[in-house]
Amino acid sequence: MSEGDTVLVTGASGFLAGHVVKTLQEAGYKVRGTVRSAKNADKVKHLHGICPDAAYPLELVEADLTDPDCWERAVNGMKFVIHVASPFPLERPKNEDEVIRPAVDGTLNVLRACANFAASISRVVLTSSCAAVDWMSKTHDKPRDESYWSDSSKQDPYSKSKTLAEKAAWEYLDNLPEEEKFELAVINPSLILGPPLQGSVCTSVQIMQKLLNRAMPMLPNVSFPIIDVRDAALAHVRAMTIPDAAGRRHIATNTNMWFSQIGIVLKAVFGPQGYKVPTRVAPKLFLYVVSLFDRSVRAVLPNVGVVHLYDNSRLRTVLKVEPREVKDTLVEMAYAVIEAGFVKKTPQYKGPGGPKEREMYMKTKI
């Protein structure tokens, strides 16, 4: 890193992007973040305090994925761009274009602006998803690596948006004239969990809310490949400068856990603190009935009983990110969600229990 290298992070107020900003500032970079509205205090006020010892203050600029005219101003003066912003709904939208158009058009709007400043921009890092690698309604016969691509014609709207946006990015770069080209690296995270930094609810936080609040009396038999948000953020920052990351995709995931296993870990820690975390597995017929009036349940039905496996070799060997223990991710996220006020504190709530508590939940059988 050169002194004061500048980085643009899109969607800076988001769950993952906030951690990317923090990781960059801790490493000494100058960071500019884009937000849809700098006047929305609930969305942006936390950003100025996530790295109190930052060498450079965070700069925020307003930009919208669907507005092509705002991105040249955002990109101007940057050496690196990390494009994280993309819709991630918990429920299946009524119209798939609600997530597909912002994802695809937003990615192309950012990349077009980067092409106009190709002389100064060294590399763009794009947040894609494991959904773009292989996220179909069937169990993988072996871990999928970065050579796989999902068939977007068979995907749900969110997964389709990630596949189409990443394909559009690679195609756009391939077709650029040489004088406008820049390096591109892609991160393909699985389900991102971990302590939130932002002050507003996001999809990942909603999952933890539902568990701690027992919004679901039983859990769908769904398996999640999980990555800690801090590891995913570090992967983005490493992909920005490591030579071997250029022109490549990188699956960012750790291990898989069934929803019921997540519940078991959380119940061991938070059950004694007054939280009635569900652990029972819901019959598929029950889920089908519930899905008739709950779109979030409808979205998971195709993946009931399905196990998606991914190869994270490039994450570990190229980006040198060693994923942290998933049980730590879950417990630390739950405490952070409670402390942030997303879930109410019970009368029995005691807060983080330290090494003895960790030793206990690490031994929990799942």
Side-chain angles (χ1 to χ4, degrees):
M1 182 183 74
S2 301
E3 181 68 23
D5 275 351
T6 52
V7 187
L8 178 73
V9 179
T10 69
S13 61
F15 179 48
L16 171 60
H19 277 276
V20 173
V21 169
K22 184 176 188 290
T23 305
L24 287 166
Q25 287 190 306
E26 288 173 344
Y29 289 95
K30 285 183 179 179
V31 183
R32 175 186 293 169
T34 71
V35 293
R36 277 184 291 182
S37 173
K39 302 178 183 66
N40 189 337
D42 289 340
K43 290 275 190 179
V44 303
K45 64 181 179 182
H46 69 284
L47 288 169
H48 296 289
I50 59 177
C51 187
D53 300 323
Y56 305 96
L58 174 66
E59 178 190 1
L60 293 180
V61 298
E62 293 185 346
D64 190 299
L65 289 174
T66 59
D67 179 7
D69 298 326
C70 65
W71 288 102
E72 285 200 12
R73 178 171 59 89
V75 165
N76 188 15
M78 298 294 103
K79 183 173 182 179
F80 304 103
V81 173
I82 301 181
H83 179 44
V84 186
S86 189
F88 182 19
L90 182 63
E91 297 181 350
R92 188 185 185 103
K94 293 180 179 178
N95 184 341
E96 66 175 16
D97 281 343
E98 292 176 25
V99 292
I100 293 174
R101 291 270 57 87
V104 176
D105 294 346
T107 295
L108 291 175
N109 286 337
V110 172
L111 295 184
R112 289 184 185 112
C114 290
N116 290 335
F117 293 96
S120 60
I121 289 177
S122 176
R123 187 178 297 177
V124 175
V125 179
L126 171 68
T127 308
S128 184
S129 171
C130 280
V133 175
D134 188 355
W135 191 264
M136 313 304 287
S137 300
K138 61 181 180 180
T139 295
H140 292 168
D141 54 349
K142 63 180 180 179
R144 298 316 197 215
D145 61 21
E146 289 84 358
S147 66
Y148 285 80
W149 279 94
S150 293
D151 180 353
S152 60
S153 68
K154 299 177 181 179
Q155 290 186 292
D156 63 273
Y158 170 72
S159 300
K160 185 176 182 179
S161 77
K162 301 306 289 185
T163 302
L164 294 179
E166 188 189 341
K167 282 188 173 181
W170 289 117
E171 182 178 353
Y172 177 77
L173 191 66
D174 286 344
N175 292 327
L176 276 177
E178 285 302 316
E179 65 273 15
E180 295 181 18
K181 283 188 182 293
F182 47 84
E183 292 181 341
L184 177 67
V186 172
I187 305 296
N188 300 80
S190 57
L191 176 65
I192 303 174
L193 298 176
L197 297 174
Q198 79 277 20
S200 57
V201 175
C202 65
T203 301
S204 294
V205 169
Q206 284 179 313
I207 293 171
M208 189 58 67
Q209 281 181 315
K210 285 177 176 288
L211 287 165
L212 292 174
N213 288 331
R214 201 178 176 84
M216 302 173 285
M218 292 186 288
L219 301 173
N221 190 35
V222 175
S223 172
F224 295 105
I226 296 170
I227 186 70
D228 190 288
V229 66
R230 294 160 292 188
D231 297 332
L234 181 58
H236 282 74
V237 175
R238 294 270 173 86
M240 197 174 70
T241 57
I242 290 176
D244 289 347
R248 300 294 296 268
R249 311 168 84 197
H250 306 81
I251 292 171
T253 191
N254 192 2
T255 57
N256 285 56
M257 292 186 78
W258 293 96
F259 217 160
S260 57
Q261 292 177 317
I262 295 173
I264 289 169
V265 173
L266 294 176
K267 185 176 181 178
V269 177
F270 297 95
Q273 299 187 63
Y275 295 94
K276 299 179 179 179
V277 182
T279 58
R280 290 180 58 197
V281 177
K284 193 167 184 179
L285 179 59
F286 171 81
L287 291 175
Y288 175 75
V289 173
V290 174
S291 73
L292 297 176
F293 53 87
D294 188 332
R295 283 191 290 169
S296 65
V297 175
R298 196 178 314 157
V300 305
L301 271 182
N303 290 300
V304 170
V306 175
V307 180
H308 298 105
L309 301 174
Y310 300 97
D311 182 347
N312 66 359
S313 297
R314 287 192 63 82
L315 175 73
R316 302 171 80 160
T317 61
V318 177
L319 303 184
K320 307 297 183 184
V321 177
E322 191 62 38
R324 65 194 71 205
E325 171 60 51
V326 173
K327 289 181 180 178
D328 288 335
T329 298
L330 297 174
V331 173
E332 290 167 18
M333 180 180 190
Y335 275 123
V337 165
I338 294 169
E339 291 294 332
F342 294 121
V343 173
K344 288 184 179 180
K345 294 180 180 179
T346 64
Q348 301 97 315
Y349 179 72
K350 296 178 180 178
K356 287 186 177 180
E357 181 181 80
R358 184 179 189 273
E359 184 180 356
M360 178 272 293
Y361 69 71
M362 289 298 291
K363 292 180 179 178
T364 302
K365 292 183 179 180
I366 56 175

